[in-house]
Amino acid sequence: MKIGILSTSKTLYSTRRLVEAGQKAGHEMQVINHKRCYMNIATHNPGIHYNGEALTGFDAVVPRIGASVTFYGTAVVRQFEMMGVYSVNESVAISRSRDKLRALQLLARKGIGLPVTGFANSPGDTADLMNLVNGAPVVIKLLEGTQGVGVVLAETRKAAESVIEAFRGLDAEFLVQEFIKEAGGADIRCFIVGGKVVAAMKRQAKEGEFRSNLHRGGSAEIIKLTPEERSTAVRAAKILGLNVAGVDLLRSNHGPVVMEVNSSPGLEGIEVATGKDVAGLIIEFIEKNARPGRTATRGRG
Ligand code: ADP
Ligand code: MG
């Protein structure tokens, strides 16, 4: 098969591993920088050009779209879908998961356990927003943050009000969330491929920190999931329509709660922590599922 990896860099671990796993299985692999694709939209014969040439003959693409290029990246994925090329994650599903409010609302609607969460843009009544999530301590998150930047723990109501007012002054969108203290600075990353958890790791924050992001000095280890955690992760990915996803859970005293669902989960942390060939499993998934024109949406919606 001819498989494209949509990625802005050939040297990223995840990109390299997917190329390597595809080649090992006998496929023709090409890394395509979606930022440098250009497209014609106004014809019945949609196409994508790259470095002066039309991209043709692809059986499948694996989108690895960074948060900062979601808008253009999903347009490129949508164009591949319109051309009948199978995409491991569809553009609509990527957009759903990138919009944190939309994602949490979709999950809530289907009864997935979530931390009690308040959304606000410019709340007129900070105190009432705090009441909505049962008061301090709370976690306040900038909507466009990643890697733990813009995630603040406010232990008292006063501290929370100051942070909310600061964010509001910056015109930033944010959410206010119940602090799951009993998670003990740990979260669980469940890596989903084709409706199954194929690998899972626990990330533990370093001493004195509540954010478990590896970029914030957290450490990762393999973990055994409970059946409830497993089914929560699988359902969350399915609700958003993602075939490949990283579902992050917290262990709360009211069961597993979903914190976020990532549509381009990194391979390095999970492969190193678990020793599993996750890239190979993604390639196998493509072999079993990629068919011309097989998309749930064909770029609609
Ligand atoms: P980012 O998208 O920047 O990674 P997250 O929402 O994943 O932001 O938060 C970063 C980390 O902070 C999480 O991995 C988790 O360890 C911790 N955290 C986030 N929200 C909560 C919460 N409601 N309760 C307890 N810990 C949390
Ligand atoms: Mg996170």
Side-chain angles (χ1 to χ4, degrees), residues 6-52:
L6 303 183
S7 166
T8 53
S9 167
K10 282 184 184 180
T11 55
L12 291 174
Y13 177 96
S14 302
T15 311
R16 279 194 286 115
R17 284 284 300 123
L18 285 163
V19 168
E20 192 179 286
Q23 285 171 344
K24 199 168 143 206
H27 303 299
E28 183 188 339
M29 305 298 292
Q30 185 181 341
V31 178
I32 302 163
N33 181 345
H34 43 277
K35 279 209 238 177
R36 288 174 39 214
C37 289
Y38 40 106
M39 310 171 269
N40 60 334
I41 297 179
T43 68
H44 292 295
N45 189 14
I48 303 180
H49 280 237
Y50 185 61
N51 287 340

Side-chain angles (χ1 to χ4, degrees), residues 63-109:
R64 302 284 319 170
I65 312 283
S68 60
V69 281
T70 302
F71 188 74
Y72 197 71
T74 50
V76 173
V77 175
R78 201 178 306 119
Q79 188 86 350
F80 273 111
E81 288 161 10
M82 285 157 63
M83 290 160 62
V85 178
Y86 181 80
S87 180
V88 164
N89 279 337
E90 294 193 24
S91 56
V92 174
I94 298 170
S95 302
R96 277 186 201 125
S97 69
R98 277 295 154 73
D99 179 339
K100 289 194 190 191
L101 304 189
R102 186 175 176 192
L104 290 178
Q105 286 172 325
L106 289 170
L107 296 175
R109 195 166 72 177

Side-chain angles (χ1 to χ4, degrees), residues 213-234:
N213 302 68
L214 302 182
H215 288 94
R216 307 254 74 75
S219 57
E221 61 180 72
I222 196 162
I223 190 180
K224 195 163 161 37
L225 299 179
T226 66
E228 193 189 3
E229 287 162 352
R230 192 173 286 277
S231 72
T232 299
V234 166

Side-chain angles (χ1 to χ4, degrees), residues 259-280:
M259 212 171 27
E260 64 178 343
V261 182
N262 193 324
S263 57
S264 293
L267 295 180
E268 186 165 17
I270 195 87
E271 287 198 335
V272 170
T274 65
K276 296 218 169 112
D277 175 14
V278 177

Side-chain angles (χ1 to χ4, degrees), residues 2 17 33 39-40 75 114 120 125 143 146 157 166 190 193 204 211-212 217 233 247 292 298:
K2 184 170 170 185
R17 284 284 300 123
N33 181 345
M39 310 171 269
N40 60 334
L114 301 170
D125 189 341
L143 284 195
T146 54
R157 183 176 275 265
C190 304
V193 179
Q204 179 68 53
R211 296 166 298 178
S212 60
V247 181
R298 277 215 150 210

